[in-house]
Amino acid sequence: MLLLLICLLGSGAAVQAAEEGTIKAGIFAGSIDLSGKTQAEALAAVEAYVAGLQDVEITLLAAADTEVGVTAGDLGIAWANPELVTEAAQIGTRGNVIERYRVLKDLEYENKVFPIELSLDLQAVSDLLLEKCAVYDTEAVDASLQRIDGQFQVTEGKTGYRLDVETSIDVINDLLTEDWDCQPCTIPLNVRVEEPRGNAEELAQITDVLGTFTTSYSSSNSSRCANVENGCKLINGTTLYPGEEFSTYDTVSPFTEKNGYYMAGSYVSGKVVDSLGGGICQVSTTLYNTVLRAELEVTKRYNHSMIVSYVDPSADAAIAESSGKDFKFVNNLDYPVYIEGVTQDKKITFTIYGKETREAGREVRYESEILEVMKPSSDDIYADASKPIGYLVTEGAHIGYRAKLWKIVTVNGEEVSRTEVNNSRYKMVPRSATVGTATEDPGAYEQIMAAIGTGSVDQVKSVIAALTAPPAPENTEAAQ
């Protein structure tokens, strides 16, 4: 009993000495021999080894097999299991004398190797991929058409490549933290291949006129003419594939001088004011009527706030940045379509080409039905004390309408369907005038204010004419 107590006491003292001593022989961290090292020395040895890995070159294969050279340090390589040093130091120090003896004897025949686990800074990997690899992404370019001198010419598409950042992070992390031999290596990233839509054979089927429409802008000034022609040019040449949606606003904007626009009249809050791109709604309206005749699917359409002169009520389509108005439609056919836009002799024409699949003898036309007419009953007149009598600025009235558009389908001349396309309401805006009232003549002031009070622009004009007319010459007889 006494001998056993002495052995146990001796065993406790030995354990304490071992914990304060060095790592036993035959213990490794990876390929690093930790034998005879203190814990601090072992930590330093492994840290130095991992630090040396930071300069190892890694080649990343980005889009189209583009090679991007980085280092393991760029990817945030780090030591993930430093606790192995503590575990290594405890080997041969735990248990009774027999257990420790067995552990030490085992080490004489087989080394104990702790794997050095590595980790990456996943945020650093993501940032690196976005900064150095995603820049090689290329958008797929669909095959497209050009109509030159009445003939279609096909431009072949181009394959696109897009880096899948999220899955590429996993690829890099798995390889460098699980299967890496700590040597320079090449890692193919996950790159999605995006094939272009269309080919010469498919686009060669675009031969038929599905719909066409023309409006005139002959009364427009030079700036409005330029805006209409510019908007038409931006749309011309569009190839639209099955299921693809077209946004008129996205295609013709931004409304800036750099994008070819000038100041011209447009509707804003019930008034006609100059703005960049004024007149662009005639472009969207002409295209709208073309789309209706091609029987493509309209997905978004707004009428103007006030009636326009170049189409019947309910046959217009407005676009406006401030109010979010847009004209959109989808190619709901089984084949691509091509949009041609032409301006000539102050007329704008859109034509949609495709493959005709509608039955022979089928025709479609559109009729506008006016449901209500709202005429102004009086004028709006505003006095401006900062302007002299004689100053008069007028703006014409706009008759209000409520109207609907009907689609009428006939087959061999007989009507087979009549469908409501839209129901539109246009504001009634009275004729308005801003009248100058500044004068030093009390009588003239009273007359102009009385005329304003009548609510009649014509009466105001009559009084202004009388007040500003030159005095009649005196009728004097010649001296006898």
Side-chain angles (χ1 to χ4, degrees):
M1 188 70 175
L2 181 59
L3 178 59
L4 177 60
L5 181 58
I6 292 172
C7 288
L8 289 175
L9 290 174
S11 173
V15 169
Q16 183 178 359
E19 290 177 344
E20 295 175 354
T22 59
I23 297 173
K24 300 295 184 286
I27 298 176
F28 288 75
S31 60
I32 304 171
D33 188 354
L34 303 183
S35 302
K37 291 182 171 58
T38 64
Q39 289 193 47
E41 290 171 339
L43 279 169
V46 180
E47 288 173 348
Y49 170 77
V50 174
L53 297 179
Q54 294 190 0
D55 295 327
V56 176
E57 294 181 353
I58 308 293
T59 301
L60 304 177
L61 287 183
D65 292 333
T66 302
E67 294 186 353
V68 178
V70 299
T71 66
D74 295 332
L75 303 172
I77 197 81
W79 183 17
N81 62 330
E83 65 276 7
L84 75 81
V85 172
T86 301
E87 294 176 20
Q90 291 175 348
I91 291 178
T93 66
R94 297 293 179 88
N96 57 40
V97 173
I98 296 175
E99 291 172 339
R100 284 181 287 154
Y101 174 79
R102 286 176 178 173
V103 169
L104 295 176
K105 291 301 289 183
D106 288 343
L107 287 174
E108 292 180 8
Y109 293 99
E110 183 178 0
N111 295 331
K112 172 64 176 177
V113 180
F114 289 91
I116 298 175
E117 296 177 7
L118 301 173
S119 66
L120 300 180
D121 182 340
L122 299 185
Q123 184 60 54
V125 176
S126 176
D127 293 344
L128 185 145
L129 290 176
L130 291 171
E131 180 182 349
K132 294 188 176 183
C133 298
V135 294
Y136 295 103
D137 288 356
T138 55
E139 295 283 347
V141 179
D142 295 335
S144 61
L145 287 172
Q146 283 185 300
R147 188 170 171 82
I148 301 175
D149 297 329
Q151 299 294 321
F152 282 115
Q153 296 182 7
V154 177
T155 301
E156 292 290 351
K158 295 181 180 179
T159 301
Y161 301 92
R162 184 173 298 279
L163 177 67
D164 188 328
V165 175
E166 293 302 319
T167 59
S168 292
I169 292 173
D170 293 337
V171 168
I172 295 171
N173 187 62
D174 291 347
L175 190 147
L176 295 185
T177 62
E178 295 179 11
D179 303 321
W180 189 35
D181 61 2
C182 299
Q183 299 299 311
C185 64
T186 298
I187 304 176
L189 303 178
N190 279 354
V191 177
R192 296 195 301 269
V193 178
E194 298 177 349
E195 296 296 341
R197 292 179 297 180
N199 52 53
E201 181 181 355
E202 183 179 12
L203 295 181
Q205 300 181 75
I206 299 179
T207 57
D208 304 315
V209 173
L210 304 183
T212 186
F213 196 78
T214 300
T215 62
S216 171
Y217 53 98
S218 58
S219 62
S220 300
N221 61 28
S222 60
S223 293
R224 189 179 187 278
C225 289
N227 291 339
V228 171
E229 291 159 7
N230 186 57
C232 180
K233 179 181 68 175
L234 292 172
I235 294 173
N236 177 49
T238 298
T239 302
L240 205 64
Y241 281 86
E244 188 175 1
E245 185 176 50
F246 180 87
S247 164
T248 307
Y249 177 83
D250 289 346
T251 305
V252 300
S253 61
F255 300 114
T256 61
E257 292 180 0
K258 185 177 180 180
N259 200 31
Y261 290 107
Y262 297 85
M263 297 292 289
S266 59
Y267 289 158
V268 177
S269 301
K271 295 184 178 295
V272 178
V273 299
D274 280 348
S275 63
L276 278 168
I280 193 64
C281 288
Q282 185 162 355
V283 176
S284 57
T285 292
T286 308
L287 182 59
Y288 173 54
N289 282 271
T290 307
V291 168
L292 290 177
R293 283 151 181 80
E295 296 187 84
L296 303 182
E297 180 186 354
V298 175
T299 53
K300 182 175 287 189
R301 172 263 173 190
Y302 297 89
N303 59 270
H304 287 76
S305 58
M306 298 181 292
I307 203 74
V308 296
S309 61
Y310 41 85
V311 290
D312 294 333
S314 276
D316 61 319
I319 60 174
E321 182 177 19
S322 58
S323 57
K325 291 182 178 180
D326 194 2
F327 167 51
K328 293 184 176 182
F329 62 94
V330 169
N331 176 9
N332 56 329
L333 307 178
D334 294 330
Y335 301 92
V337 297
Y338 175 85
I339 305 173
E340 178 185 59
V342 177
T343 55
Q344 187 175 11
D345 300 328
K346 289 195 172 184
K347 291 181 180 178
I348 174 173
T349 300
F350 281 112
T351 303
I352 295 179
Y353 294 87
K355 181 177 180 179
E356 184 60 81
T357 58
R358 294 171 288 191
E359 63 180 307
R362 184 182 188 279
E363 294 183 356
V364 59
R365 72 177 190 273
Y366 293 85
E367 290 183 2
S368 173
E369 179 186 1
I370 296 176
L371 306 175
E372 183 180 3
V373 178
M374 296 157 280
K375 294 183 178 181
S377 58
S378 62
D379 300 329
D380 287 341
I381 306 175
Y382 308 96
D384 188 345
S386 67
K387 302 293 184 181
I389 288 180
Y391 176 86
L392 178 67
V393 175
T394 62
E395 187 166 324
H398 294 270
I399 297 174
Y401 291 91
R402 189 166 63 85
K404 64 172 58 176
L405 190 67
W406 293 96
K407 175 183 179 180
I408 301 163
V409 178
T410 61
V411 176
N412 298 323
E414 291 192 14
E415 183 175 320
V416 296
S417 68
R418 179 180 290 260
T419 309
E420 182 180 326
V421 177
N422 69 58
N423 194 309
S424 305
R425 190 178 187 89
Y426 304 89
K427 289 181 181 179
M428 178 273 293
V429 179
R431 180 172 58 164
S432 65
T434 301
V435 183
T437 60
T439 179
E440 295 181 357
D441 183 346
Y445 179 79
E446 289 180 2
Q447 290 183 60
I448 196 65
M449 292 304 296
I452 291 173
T454 66
S456 168
V457 173
D458 293 332
Q459 180 63 27
V460 170
K461 288 181 177 179
S462 177
V463 170
I464 288 176
L467 292 174
T468 57
E474 294 184 4
N475 186 17
T476 58
E477 295 183 359
Q480 298 297 318

